[in-house]
Amino acid sequence: MTSPNVTANLTREETAARAAGITLHRVRVELDLTGAPERERSGFPTSTVLEFDATADATWVDFIGESVDRVVLNGTEQAVDWDGARIRVTGLAAQNTLTVEAVAAYSRSGEGMHRFHDPVDGETYLYTQYEPADSRRVMASFEQPDMKASYTFVVSAPAGWQLLSNQRPEHTTPGIGVQTVQFAPTLPISSYITSVAAGPYARIDDEWRRDDQVVELGLFCRASLLQYLESEEFLTVTKQGLDFFTDAFAFPYPWGKYDQILVPEYNLGAMENPGLVTFTESYISRGAATDAQRSSRANTILHEMAHMWFGDLVTMRWWDDLWLKESFADYMGAHALGAATRFEDAWVFFANRRKAWAYQQDQLPTTHPIVADIPDLEAAKLNFDGITYAKGASVLKQLVAYVGEEAFFEGARRYFAAHAYGNTTLDDLLVQLEDVSGRDVRTWSAAWLETSGVSTLSFEEDADGNGVIMQTDPRPHRLRVGRYDVQDGVPELRDRAELDVTDEHTPFERADADLVLLNDEDLTYVKARLDERSLATVEGTLSAVEDALARGLIWASLWNATRDGELPAQRYLAIVRRHAAAERDIVLLTGVLLNAQFAVRHYVPADARSDEQGSWLDLSWQALQAADAGSDAQLAWARAFAEAAAYDDAHGDDVRRMLDGAAPEGLPLDPDLRWQLLTALTTTGTAGPEDVEAELRRDDTASGRTAGRRALASRPTAEVRAAAWDAAWNDLTLSNDHLDAEIAGFRAGGRRDLIAGFDEEFFERIAAVWGERSIELAKRLVTGLFPASDSLEPADAWLAAHEDAPAALRRVVIEQRDHLSRDLRVRAAQPVAD
């Protein structure tokens, strides 16, 4: 049999040809999950019946699993012709009924049917995750988004379990210790958004009403986590979202019920399966959580809800137009968050965190237009990135300003009405927006959706005081420029000028303002620099800027200049030391702390890094002591301190005292923070296996076992790091989370002296692992273990010798090489100390 990896990577051309010859109508899937609690049982029986019309004589059906046992076409059994990924079917008639009986495999990678055994109570939990193309790991399917069908799921599982799918149960057949549930048929949907979950999940019921429409709401999590689930806020945001989108889209929620389930060992933040949205358990805090975390969770709830229309109701024809769902959902999530919930600073989070992701992605050599060229599934898998999500959402925000908010939403309403339950391309949306707005949307699309890269704006003055806004890589921007004057140590807004910036040079007068803030209010997608006078102003007064969005834009400008080597990293860190402790917006503070930690480790030259690391550790300890008891800032500084303590043991005694109960007043020392502190000690060699075992006795949970694995792998000996390296590459029983723990332990503390000897072996392994492991796990290995060396030569040599490697693998290596190149380039650009 051919290796399944040879044929699993479907291309755009072959799937388009298949869709041209096949019209899919209905799919019935029967899954036997009764044996799931038996750990030695690796797979489960699956039977799929597909009803379709055909003009072609032959086709293939996608399936990846343990075996294909029977193939029956129109009542006639066919010889099984399966290469591990594709089942070949010949002799098609005009109307066809195809039955495939097979055995699928339970997953430990978060792809397909993931199985998890809870160490707290021994219970077994199952859920599916498919995007972009893993429904074929559970059922035989036409694995492409443009072949929609009505799906009926029939699931057998142990009695007492919750059984969930996209639709409500239609009827249940009880048995001895088992149950079989048949779910109602779905409306037409793509295979990648079908979903099943099964297990003794805890359940909370509610409902949302609007006029005659009643939507049943279900919220689910593992029983052992129910005590931590903030269900009231979760469901409140859900109802607020249904209110908002029902009004905004003028198309009633179409999928019947609205279940949301938090699942273990999840690879994503969430997934928009209609009627059964899945979320990572990371959105459940086992102790304290900051409002930034709650805002992020609410944003995700609304992002996934927006997909019920953008993506589920109307779906892209192929992954080239992935942005048609992800960019819109990212924009609508932020828009609804600010308009419909208590999190009114949604655009602060967006400007400071989401756009930072986009700017980073857009400066890689592998950047791409928002409307991307996606030739195959591997390329699709890698394009769930900062361009498709955050850059797309940023330019949609511009589009709303360009056509007007009412025209934008009216265009969306017409788009849904015209293409409900169908598939679309970019042109289908542009037609509606142009028609309703009367604006030239296609020129805007060509400038923003169909090009790549990010422009940079800067302000300069000549010797006569004439000001000009300079733009690299010119694009059309409609933006605002804020002029601020410092009064009694506080930058006060004098005015905001709104103007069009389209060329390399645009005249603009400073008018003696102390601070010129380009792109004030964040209307466009651009990196905005601070001129030297403005930089000097914010060095002294940043924390006194009243408006949170303006402060966020200043912090973002400082960080982008640091990443680009234009602002010395040590000058950036000095600004952080002066102003971070006074930052009162928790979203901004969280981002600043993460960026500062990154700057110390990646951008400060080696000869200055130890001093900067010590200064950062001292600052985080002092800020932790000074923060208000029980505040979000206190928790954020505690996490920053714990992270910094893994790189410097100067405060090891303070860490130990915190673990022994002497934490600052008001700080909740929850299990996750305790593990972070203990891992700092194991990384510096001041705690050992006995400490980890003691902590596991306090927290013998799934999260505790994962954290314990990471703590043990972090110990600073060559033998321990070698064992972590070996486990990551060779232990095929590791779940996705446990693999991450081994990788994190291997790299803990930046101890290149312990792991540099594995650099050569890394490049020897990656081609093979890409072919042997799923793309999800292979990507984690390649990105997580890429050597942080002082030379680009090994990566360059591998790329030169592997021009024929899979394009997706080359992309990952190229991106990791570019991250390393930036580190080296920025360090080299730092000023030499006197």
PDB file of all heavy atoms in Angstrom, residues 12 15-16 19 144-148 190 314-322 324 415 419 422-426 428:
ATOM      1  N   ARG A  12      -5.930  21.728  -5.089  1.00  0.00           N
ATOM      2  CA  ARG A  12      -7.058  22.538  -5.537  1.00  0.00           C
ATOM      3  C   ARG A  12      -7.593  22.038  -6.876  1.00  0.00           C
ATOM      4  O   ARG A  12      -8.813  21.946  -7.081  1.00  0.00           O
ATOM      5  CB  ARG A  12      -6.605  23.990  -5.643  1.00  0.00           C
ATOM      6  CG  ARG A  12      -7.620  24.964  -6.198  1.00  0.00           C
ATOM      7  CD  ARG A  12      -7.043  26.380  -6.176  1.00  0.00           C
ATOM      8  NE  ARG A  12      -5.743  26.414  -6.815  1.00  0.00           N
ATOM      9  CZ  ARG A  12      -4.760  27.279  -6.501  1.00  0.00           C
ATOM     10  NH1 ARG A  12      -4.953  28.158  -5.543  1.00  0.00           N
ATOM     11  NH2 ARG A  12      -3.617  27.259  -7.139  1.00  0.00           N
ATOM     12  N   THR A  15      -9.462  18.522  -6.547  1.00  0.00           N
ATOM     13  CA  THR A  15     -10.740  18.612  -5.844  1.00  0.00           C
ATOM     14  C   THR A  15     -11.771  19.375  -6.679  1.00  0.00           C
ATOM     15  O   THR A  15     -12.965  19.049  -6.649  1.00  0.00           O
ATOM     16  CB  THR A  15     -10.573  19.273  -4.472  1.00  0.00           C
ATOM     17  OG1 THR A  15      -9.930  20.543  -4.619  1.00  0.00           O
ATOM     18  CG2 THR A  15      -9.768  18.387  -3.542  1.00  0.00           C
ATOM     19  N   ALA A  16     -11.313  20.387  -7.439  1.00  0.00           N
ATOM     20  CA  ALA A  16     -12.241  21.091  -8.332  1.00  0.00           C
ATOM     21  C   ALA A  16     -12.776  20.148  -9.391  1.00  0.00           C
ATOM     22  O   ALA A  16     -13.970  20.172  -9.732  1.00  0.00           O
ATOM     23  CB  ALA A  16     -11.544  22.290  -8.975  1.00  0.00           C
ATOM     24  N   ALA A  19     -15.386  17.892  -7.753  1.00  0.00           N
ATOM     25  CA  ALA A  19     -16.648  18.591  -7.531  1.00  0.00           C
ATOM     26  C   ALA A  19     -17.423  18.782  -8.832  1.00  0.00           C
ATOM     27  O   ALA A  19     -18.663  18.786  -8.833  1.00  0.00           O
ATOM     28  CB  ALA A  19     -16.394  19.938  -6.869  1.00  0.00           C
ATOM     29  N   GLN A 144     -13.586  18.345   1.025  1.00  0.00           N
ATOM     30  CA  GLN A 144     -13.365  19.654   0.428  1.00  0.00           C
ATOM     31  C   GLN A 144     -14.573  20.526   0.755  1.00  0.00           C
ATOM     32  O   GLN A 144     -15.707  20.039   0.831  1.00  0.00           O
ATOM     33  CB  GLN A 144     -13.155  19.543  -1.081  1.00  0.00           C
ATOM     34  CG  GLN A 144     -14.243  18.798  -1.824  1.00  0.00           C
ATOM     35  CD  GLN A 144     -13.834  18.436  -3.243  1.00  0.00           C
ATOM     36  OE1 GLN A 144     -13.245  17.387  -3.470  1.00  0.00           O
ATOM     37  NE2 GLN A 144     -14.146  19.328  -4.192  1.00  0.00           N
ATOM     38  N   PRO A 145     -14.354  21.842   0.957  1.00  0.00           N
ATOM     39  CA  PRO A 145     -15.436  22.671   1.492  1.00  0.00           C
ATOM     40  C   PRO A 145     -16.595  22.900   0.546  1.00  0.00           C
ATOM     41  O   PRO A 145     -17.697  23.249   0.990  1.00  0.00           O
ATOM     42  CB  PRO A 145     -14.731  23.992   1.833  1.00  0.00           C
ATOM     43  CG  PRO A 145     -13.491  24.003   1.007  1.00  0.00           C
ATOM     44  CD  PRO A 145     -13.076  22.576   0.877  1.00  0.00           C
ATOM     45  N   ASP A 146     -16.392  22.719  -0.774  1.00  0.00           N
ATOM     46  CA  ASP A 146     -17.461  23.044  -1.722  1.00  0.00           C
ATOM     47  C   ASP A 146     -18.396  21.877  -2.006  1.00  0.00           C
ATOM     48  O   ASP A 146     -19.294  21.997  -2.843  1.00  0.00           O
ATOM     49  CB  ASP A 146     -16.869  23.558  -3.036  1.00  0.00           C
ATOM     50  CG  ASP A 146     -15.958  22.549  -3.713  1.00  0.00           C
ATOM     51  OD1 ASP A 146     -15.496  21.598  -3.031  1.00  0.00           O
ATOM     52  OD2 ASP A 146     -15.690  22.701  -4.923  1.00  0.00           O
ATOM     53  N   MET A 147     -18.239  20.752  -1.303  1.00  0.00           N
ATOM     54  CA  MET A 147     -19.152  19.620  -1.477  1.00  0.00           C
ATOM     55  C   MET A 147     -19.983  19.482  -0.207  1.00  0.00           C
ATOM     56  O   MET A 147     -19.741  18.630   0.649  1.00  0.00           O
ATOM     57  CB  MET A 147     -18.388  18.346  -1.823  1.00  0.00           C
ATOM     58  CG  MET A 147     -17.683  18.451  -3.173  1.00  0.00           C
ATOM     59  SD  MET A 147     -16.849  16.939  -3.725  1.00  0.00           S
ATOM     60  CE  MET A 147     -18.254  15.890  -4.108  1.00  0.00           C
ATOM     61  N   LYS A 148     -20.977  20.371  -0.088  1.00  0.00           N
ATOM     62  CA  LYS A 148     -21.832  20.395   1.086  1.00  0.00           C
ATOM     63  C   LYS A 148     -22.905  19.315   0.993  1.00  0.00           C
ATOM     64  O   LYS A 148     -23.284  18.885  -0.097  1.00  0.00           O
ATOM     65  CB  LYS A 148     -22.494  21.766   1.244  1.00  0.00           C
ATOM     66  CG  LYS A 148     -21.542  22.878   1.659  1.00  0.00           C
ATOM     67  CD  LYS A 148     -22.301  24.155   1.982  1.00  0.00           C
ATOM     68  CE  LYS A 148     -21.400  25.180   2.659  1.00  0.00           C
ATOM     69  NZ  LYS A 148     -22.147  26.396   3.070  1.00  0.00           N
ATOM     70  N   SER A 190     -20.361  21.777   5.107  1.00  0.00           N
ATOM     71  CA  SER A 190     -19.126  21.127   4.656  1.00  0.00           C
ATOM     72  C   SER A 190     -18.680  20.098   5.676  1.00  0.00           C
ATOM     73  O   SER A 190     -18.975  20.205   6.875  1.00  0.00           O
ATOM     74  CB  SER A 190     -18.028  22.170   4.456  1.00  0.00           C
ATOM     75  OG  SER A 190     -18.424  23.184   3.551  1.00  0.00           O
ATOM     76  N   VAL A 314     -22.455  30.568   4.742  1.00  0.00           N
ATOM     77  CA  VAL A 314     -21.815  30.804   3.446  1.00  0.00           C
ATOM     78  C   VAL A 314     -20.338  30.447   3.591  1.00  0.00           C
ATOM     79  O   VAL A 314     -19.647  30.998   4.448  1.00  0.00           O
ATOM     80  CB  VAL A 314     -21.973  32.274   3.000  1.00  0.00           C
ATOM     81  CG1 VAL A 314     -21.343  32.460   1.626  1.00  0.00           C
ATOM     82  CG2 VAL A 314     -23.440  32.683   2.984  1.00  0.00           C
ATOM     83  N   THR A 315     -19.878  29.538   2.768  1.00  0.00           N
ATOM     84  CA  THR A 315     -18.550  28.933   2.933  1.00  0.00           C
ATOM     85  C   THR A 315     -17.703  29.193   1.685  1.00  0.00           C
ATOM     86  O   THR A 315     -18.217  29.180   0.568  1.00  0.00           O
ATOM     87  CB  THR A 315     -18.687  27.410   3.143  1.00  0.00           C
ATOM     88  OG1 THR A 315     -19.647  27.162   4.166  1.00  0.00           O
ATOM     89  CG2 THR A 315     -17.359  26.780   3.522  1.00  0.00           C
ATOM     90  N   MET A 316     -16.403  29.413   1.886  1.00  0.00           N
ATOM     91  CA  MET A 316     -15.522  29.612   0.740  1.00  0.00           C
ATOM     92  C   MET A 316     -15.492  28.345  -0.109  1.00  0.00           C
ATOM     93  O   MET A 316     -15.608  27.233   0.396  1.00  0.00           O
ATOM     94  CB  MET A 316     -14.102  29.982   1.189  1.00  0.00           C
ATOM     95  CG  MET A 316     -13.315  28.890   1.865  1.00  0.00           C
ATOM     96  SD  MET A 316     -13.645  28.799   3.640  1.00  0.00           S
ATOM     97  CE  MET A 316     -13.242  27.068   3.924  1.00  0.00           C
ATOM     98  N   ARG A 317     -15.315  28.541  -1.411  1.00  0.00           N
ATOM     99  CA  ARG A 317     -15.289  27.396  -2.322  1.00  0.00           C
ATOM    100  C   ARG A 317     -14.033  26.558  -2.110  1.00  0.00           C
ATOM    101  O   ARG A 317     -14.070  25.336  -2.140  1.00  0.00           O
ATOM    102  CB  ARG A 317     -15.365  27.888  -3.764  1.00  0.00           C
ATOM    103  CG  ARG A 317     -15.434  26.766  -4.806  1.00  0.00           C
ATOM    104  CD  ARG A 317     -15.722  27.337  -6.181  1.00  0.00           C
ATOM    105  NE  ARG A 317     -17.022  28.027  -6.166  1.00  0.00           N
ATOM    106  CZ  ARG A 317     -17.385  28.944  -7.066  1.00  0.00           C
ATOM    107  NH1 ARG A 317     -16.540  29.290  -8.040  1.00  0.00           N
ATOM    108  NH2 ARG A 317     -18.565  29.520  -6.999  1.00  0.00           N
ATOM    109  N   TRP A 318     -12.922  27.220  -1.921  1.00  0.00           N
ATOM    110  CA  TRP A 318     -11.649  26.541  -1.646  1.00  0.00           C
ATOM    111  C   TRP A 318     -10.869  27.422  -0.686  1.00  0.00           C
ATOM    112  O   TRP A 318     -11.242  28.566  -0.411  1.00  0.00           O
ATOM    113  CB  TRP A 318     -10.875  26.276  -2.949  1.00  0.00           C
ATOM    114  CG  TRP A 318      -9.522  25.619  -2.749  1.00  0.00           C
ATOM    115  CD1 TRP A 318      -8.302  26.182  -2.944  1.00  0.00           C
ATOM    116  CD2 TRP A 318      -9.269  24.283  -2.297  1.00  0.00           C
ATOM    117  NE1 TRP A 318      -7.303  25.287  -2.656  1.00  0.00           N
ATOM    118  CE2 TRP A 318      -7.864  24.100  -2.251  1.00  0.00           C
ATOM    119  CE3 TRP A 318     -10.082  23.213  -1.915  1.00  0.00           C
ATOM    120  CZ2 TRP A 318      -7.267  22.920  -1.843  1.00  0.00           C
ATOM    121  CZ3 TRP A 318      -9.483  22.025  -1.516  1.00  0.00           C
ATOM    122  CH2 TRP A 318      -8.088  21.889  -1.487  1.00  0.00           C
ATOM    123  N   TRP A 319      -9.764  26.918  -0.161  1.00  0.00           N
ATOM    124  CA  TRP A 319      -9.058  27.586   0.927  1.00  0.00           C
ATOM    125  C   TRP A 319      -8.358  28.868   0.503  1.00  0.00           C
ATOM    126  O   TRP A 319      -7.899  29.630   1.360  1.00  0.00           O
ATOM    127  CB  TRP A 319      -8.075  26.605   1.565  1.00  0.00           C
ATOM    128  CG  TRP A 319      -8.781  25.390   2.088  1.00  0.00           C
ATOM    129  CD1 TRP A 319      -8.849  24.154   1.495  1.00  0.00           C
ATOM    130  CD2 TRP A 319      -9.560  25.300   3.287  1.00  0.00           C
ATOM    131  NE1 TRP A 319      -9.625  23.307   2.262  1.00  0.00           N
ATOM    132  CE2 TRP A 319     -10.060  23.973   3.365  1.00  0.00           C
ATOM    133  CE3 TRP A 319      -9.877  26.194   4.297  1.00  0.00           C
ATOM    134  CZ2 TRP A 319     -10.860  23.538   4.419  1.00  0.00           C
ATOM    135  CZ3 TRP A 319     -10.670  25.766   5.338  1.00  0.00           C
ATOM    136  CH2 TRP A 319     -11.156  24.455   5.402  1.00  0.00           C
ATOM    137  N   ASP A 320      -8.304  29.177  -0.816  1.00  0.00           N
ATOM    138  CA  ASP A 320      -7.794  30.489  -1.242  1.00  0.00           C
ATOM    139  C   ASP A 320      -8.560  31.613  -0.551  1.00  0.00           C
ATOM    140  O   ASP A 320      -8.006  32.664  -0.231  1.00  0.00           O
ATOM    141  CB  ASP A 320      -7.972  30.688  -2.760  1.00  0.00           C
ATOM    142  CG  ASP A 320      -7.343  29.594  -3.581  1.00  0.00           C
ATOM    143  OD1 ASP A 320      -7.851  28.466  -3.511  1.00  0.00           O
ATOM    144  OD2 ASP A 320      -6.372  29.877  -4.298  1.00  0.00           O
ATOM    145  N   ASP A 321      -9.863  31.395  -0.383  1.00  0.00           N
ATOM    146  CA  ASP A 321     -10.718  32.415   0.208  1.00  0.00           C
ATOM    147  C   ASP A 321     -11.020  32.123   1.670  1.00  0.00           C
ATOM    148  O   ASP A 321     -12.092  32.482   2.178  1.00  0.00           O
ATOM    149  CB  ASP A 321     -12.008  32.541  -0.600  1.00  0.00           C
ATOM    150  CG  ASP A 321     -11.809  33.306  -1.898  1.00  0.00           C
ATOM    151  OD1 ASP A 321     -11.258  34.427  -1.836  1.00  0.00           O
ATOM    152  OD2 ASP A 321     -12.166  32.792  -2.965  1.00  0.00           O
ATOM    153  N   LEU A 322     -10.056  31.499   2.344  1.00  0.00           N
ATOM    154  CA  LEU A 322     -10.175  31.294   3.793  1.00  0.00           C
ATOM    155  C   LEU A 322     -10.490  32.604   4.512  1.00  0.00           C
ATOM    156  O   LEU A 322     -11.223  32.624   5.499  1.00  0.00           O
ATOM    157  CB  LEU A 322      -8.868  30.689   4.319  1.00  0.00           C
ATOM    158  CG  LEU A 322      -8.731  30.479   5.825  1.00  0.00           C
ATOM    159  CD1 LEU A 322      -9.764  29.492   6.331  1.00  0.00           C
ATOM    160  CD2 LEU A 322      -7.312  29.992   6.161  1.00  0.00           C
ATOM    161  N   LEU A 324     -12.467  34.813   3.733  1.00  0.00           N
ATOM    162  CA  LEU A 324     -13.885  35.141   3.713  1.00  0.00           C
ATOM    163  C   LEU A 324     -14.582  34.756   5.007  1.00  0.00           C
ATOM    164  O   LEU A 324     -15.632  35.290   5.328  1.00  0.00           O
ATOM    165  CB  LEU A 324     -14.575  34.443   2.538  1.00  0.00           C
ATOM    166  CG  LEU A 324     -14.531  35.154   1.186  1.00  0.00           C
ATOM    167  CD1 LEU A 324     -15.117  34.276   0.103  1.00  0.00           C
ATOM    168  CD2 LEU A 324     -15.259  36.484   1.251  1.00  0.00           C
ATOM    169  N   TYR A 415     -25.331  39.432   0.954  1.00  0.00           N
ATOM    170  CA  TYR A 415     -24.424  38.303   0.688  1.00  0.00           C
ATOM    171  C   TYR A 415     -24.991  37.016   1.284  1.00  0.00           C
ATOM    172  O   TYR A 415     -25.043  35.972   0.625  1.00  0.00           O
ATOM    173  CB  TYR A 415     -23.066  38.657   1.288  1.00  0.00           C
ATOM    174  CG  TYR A 415     -21.985  37.607   1.239  1.00  0.00           C
ATOM    175  CD1 TYR A 415     -21.384  37.248   0.045  1.00  0.00           C
ATOM    176  CD2 TYR A 415     -21.519  37.024   2.427  1.00  0.00           C
ATOM    177  CE1 TYR A 415     -20.348  36.315   0.020  1.00  0.00           C
ATOM    178  CE2 TYR A 415     -20.488  36.104   2.416  1.00  0.00           C
ATOM    179  CZ  TYR A 415     -19.908  35.753   1.211  1.00  0.00           C
ATOM    180  OH  TYR A 415     -18.887  34.832   1.194  1.00  0.00           O
ATOM    181  N   HIS A 419     -26.429  33.730  -0.933  1.00  0.00           N
ATOM    182  CA  HIS A 419     -25.572  32.538  -0.992  1.00  0.00           C
ATOM    183  C   HIS A 419     -25.758  31.599   0.194  1.00  0.00           C
ATOM    184  O   HIS A 419     -24.883  30.767   0.457  1.00  0.00           O
ATOM    185  CB  HIS A 419     -24.108  32.974  -1.076  1.00  0.00           C
ATOM    186  CG  HIS A 419     -23.795  33.842  -2.257  1.00  0.00           C
ATOM    187  ND1 HIS A 419     -23.749  33.364  -3.546  1.00  0.00           N
ATOM    188  CD2 HIS A 419     -23.547  35.183  -2.341  1.00  0.00           C
ATOM    189  CE1 HIS A 419     -23.462  34.354  -4.380  1.00  0.00           C
ATOM    190  NE2 HIS A 419     -23.334  35.473  -3.673  1.00  0.00           N
ATOM    191  N   GLY A 422     -24.458  27.922   0.586  1.00  0.00           N
ATOM    192  CA  GLY A 422     -23.662  27.698  -0.610  1.00  0.00           C
ATOM    193  C   GLY A 422     -22.210  28.039  -0.394  1.00  0.00           C
ATOM    194  O   GLY A 422     -21.740  28.222   0.736  1.00  0.00           O
ATOM    195  N   ASN A 423     -21.474  28.124  -1.511  1.00  0.00           N
ATOM    196  CA  ASN A 423     -20.048  28.419  -1.490  1.00  0.00           C
ATOM    197  C   ASN A 423     -19.766  29.635  -2.365  1.00  0.00           C
ATOM    198  O   ASN A 423     -20.429  29.840  -3.379  1.00  0.00           O
ATOM    199  CB  ASN A 423     -19.234  27.221  -1.995  1.00  0.00           C
ATOM    200  CG  ASN A 423     -19.366  26.010  -1.102  1.00  0.00           C
ATOM    201  OD1 ASN A 423     -20.288  25.208  -1.263  1.00  0.00           O
ATOM    202  ND2 ASN A 423     -18.456  25.865  -0.165  1.00  0.00           N
ATOM    203  N   THR A 424     -18.754  30.404  -1.975  1.00  0.00           N
ATOM    204  CA  THR A 424     -18.493  31.671  -2.650  1.00  0.00           C
ATOM    205  C   THR A 424     -16.998  31.902  -2.848  1.00  0.00           C
ATOM    206  O   THR A 424     -16.151  31.196  -2.298  1.00  0.00           O
ATOM    207  CB  THR A 424     -19.048  32.852  -1.828  1.00  0.00           C
ATOM    208  OG1 THR A 424     -18.437  32.841  -0.537  1.00  0.00           O
ATOM    209  CG2 THR A 424     -20.555  32.768  -1.692  1.00  0.00           C
ATOM    210  N   THR A 425     -16.709  32.955  -3.618  1.00  0.00           N
ATOM    211  CA  THR A 425     -15.354  33.479  -3.772  1.00  0.00           C
ATOM    212  C   THR A 425     -15.373  34.968  -3.455  1.00  0.00           C
ATOM    213  O   THR A 425     -16.429  35.558  -3.178  1.00  0.00           O
ATOM    214  CB  THR A 425     -14.840  33.272  -5.206  1.00  0.00           C
ATOM    215  OG1 THR A 425     -15.657  34.042  -6.103  1.00  0.00           O
ATOM    216  CG2 THR A 425     -14.896  31.796  -5.607  1.00  0.00           C
ATOM    217  N   LEU A 426     -14.209  35.595  -3.507  1.00  0.00           N
ATOM    218  CA  LEU A 426     -14.088  37.018  -3.231  1.00  0.00           C
ATOM    219  C   LEU A 426     -15.064  37.847  -4.052  1.00  0.00           C
ATOM    220  O   LEU A 426     -15.706  38.771  -3.541  1.00  0.00           O
ATOM    221  CB  LEU A 426     -12.642  37.468  -3.506  1.00  0.00           C
ATOM    222  CG  LEU A 426     -12.377  38.972  -3.581  1.00  0.00           C
ATOM    223  CD1 LEU A 426     -12.665  39.629  -2.244  1.00  0.00           C
ATOM    224  CD2 LEU A 426     -10.937  39.219  -4.027  1.00  0.00           C
ATOM    225  N   ASP A 428     -17.983  37.338  -5.171  1.00  0.00           N
ATOM    226  CA  ASP A 428     -19.376  37.321  -4.720  1.00  0.00           C
ATOM    227  C   ASP A 428     -19.625  38.372  -3.640  1.00  0.00           C
ATOM    228  O   ASP A 428     -20.701  38.979  -3.589  1.00  0.00           O
ATOM    229  CB  ASP A 428     -19.735  35.933  -4.184  1.00  0.00           C
ATOM    230  CG  ASP A 428     -19.674  34.864  -5.248  1.00  0.00           C
ATOM    231  OD1 ASP A 428     -20.298  35.042  -6.307  1.00  0.00           O
ATOM    232  OD2 ASP A 428     -18.985  33.847  -5.036  1.00  0.00           O
TER     233      ASP A 428
END
